Amino acid sequence: MARTYVVTGAASGIGRATVHLLTALDHVVVTLDRHDADVVADLSTPAGRTEAVEGVRAATGGIVDAVIACAGLALPEPATVAVNYFGTVATLEGLRPMLAAGAHPRAVVVSSMASFQPNDAALVDACLAGDEAHALDIAAKLAGAEDTANLIYASTKAALNRWMRRVATTPGWAGAHVPINAVGPGVVLTPMTEGWTSSAEGRAFLEQMVPMPLTGFMAPEQVAAVLVFLASEENSAMTGQVVFVDGGSDVVLRGETAW
C-alpha cells in the first residue's frame, strides 16, 4: 500500500537517493529543501521551520505516514548547529501530530558516525536545553579557532542522538505509536563531502579518520535503503536506536567496548 513520506534535504545526497527509492516503490513523497522541492524552506531559521511544517500540512492535508529527516550541513560554523539540531528537532516535533494521524507512522533521522567522535560538551548541553541563542554563540567561538571548529559537526550529531533517545519512549512518540530511530552513516559520496573526497589528500585524511573496511566510501543509495526500512510498516518494534551504516568504522574505532 502506498504511504505518504516527507523527506527533508531531498534535493541532493542521501535525501535525493531516498526520494528516488521511495518513488520507485510507488509511495507518495513530499520533498522539503531550500530549493528544488515541493516545500521550499530554510531550516536554519525559526521562520523557515514554521514554513516547512505549514507547507507539509498544506501538501498532505495534515496526514503523514513517515518522516525521513536528511537535511544537514557539515560546515565548521554556527549554521550547522541551526540546521542539524534545531532545524531537525523543530521539523520532527512540528510534524509529529501529522504522524500521529497517519497509518503505521515512523520517523527516521540522519545522524553520523561522527556522533561518537570528540565534541564540545557545552554545545551539546546547550542544544539539549533548547537554548539556540547560546548554542549558536558557543559554535561561533568554536568556529573561530582551527583546533575547535571541527567539533561543531560532531556535537550536533551527538546532541541529535541524545534527543532522539530522550524522546523515543515518551507519550508523544512511543505512547502515540510513533517509532523514531536514526542512522549513523560513515563517509558518503555526496556534494556535502565532495570537498574532501575529490582530492587524494582529502580522501587519505578521511580514510584515516573514518576507516570503512567493508565498503570504503559509500554511495547514498546504501544509506537510503536502511532509511526506507526504518520508515516502513515492517519496522514495527524498533525505536530509539542509532543504526551505524558506516562500513565498519564504529567497530574499528570503538570495538567491543562500546557495549
Side-chain angles (χ1 to χ4, degrees):
M1 173 182 277
R3 287 160 55 79
T4 298
Y5 288 76
V6 175
V7 179
T8 76
S12 65
I14 295 171
R16 184 177 181 182
T18 302
V19 170
H20 288 170
L21 181 52
L22 290 169
T23 302
L25 294 170
D26 295 325
H27 293 298
V28 176
V29 184
V30 176
T31 59
L32 193 159
D33 211 313
R34 291 180 297 173
H35 55 82
D36 300 321
D38 300 317
V39 178
V40 176
D42 183 356
L43 298 182
S44 70
T45 70
R49 297 161 199 163
T50 298
E51 290 172 4
V53 171
E54 292 309 313
V56 170
R57 190 188 312 279
T60 63
I63 300 175
V64 173
D65 296 312
V67 177
I68 301 178
C70 300
L73 298 174
L75 303 171
E77 58 187 49
T80 296
V81 176
V83 175
N84 289 11
Y85 185 81
F86 291 97
T88 298
V89 170
T91 302
L92 287 166
E93 288 289 6
L95 297 178
R96 183 164 52 86
M98 300 183 215
L99 279 169
H104 307 289
R106 308 283 184 265
V108 194
V109 182
V110 173
S111 180
S112 172
M113 59 72 61
S115 60
F116 59 75
Q117 292 186 323
N119 61 59
D120 185 83
L123 177 53
V124 173
D125 288 345
C127 288
L128 290 168
D131 191 340
E132 185 168 4
H134 186 39
L136 293 176
D137 182 59
I138 294 171
K141 293 174 181 175
L142 293 173
E146 186 175 348
D147 60 340
T148 58
N150 288 330
L151 297 175
I152 294 173
Y153 178 75
S155 299
T156 65
K157 296 303 186 177
L160 193 57
N161 287 359
R162 287 180 58 183
W163 172 82
M164 184 271 298
R165 295 276 289 182
R166 179 179 291 181
V167 303
T169 57
T170 62
W173 290 94
H177 307 292
V178 185
I180 180 169
N181 294 284
V183 298
V187 179
V188 183
L189 296 170
T190 68
M192 190 169 74
T193 61
E194 191 174 8
W196 290 98
T197 60
S198 59
S199 70
E201 182 181 1
R203 292 177 72 93
F205 174 79
L206 286 180
E207 287 167 356
Q208 182 179 12
M209 293 293 294
V210 188
M212 300 173 65
L214 177 64
T215 59
F217 300 159
M218 299 187 300
E221 290 77 11
Q222 291 173 275
V223 182
V226 181
L227 288 168
V228 169
F229 165 72
L230 290 172
S232 71
E233 268 185 75
E234 287 74 18
N235 175 33
S236 60
M238 185 189 303
T239 195
Q241 303 303 308
V242 182
V243 181
F244 288 105
V245 188
D246 61 1
S249 63
D250 171 42
V251 178
V252 173
L253 296 173
R254 296 202 298 174
E256 65 186 57
T257 59
W259 306 107

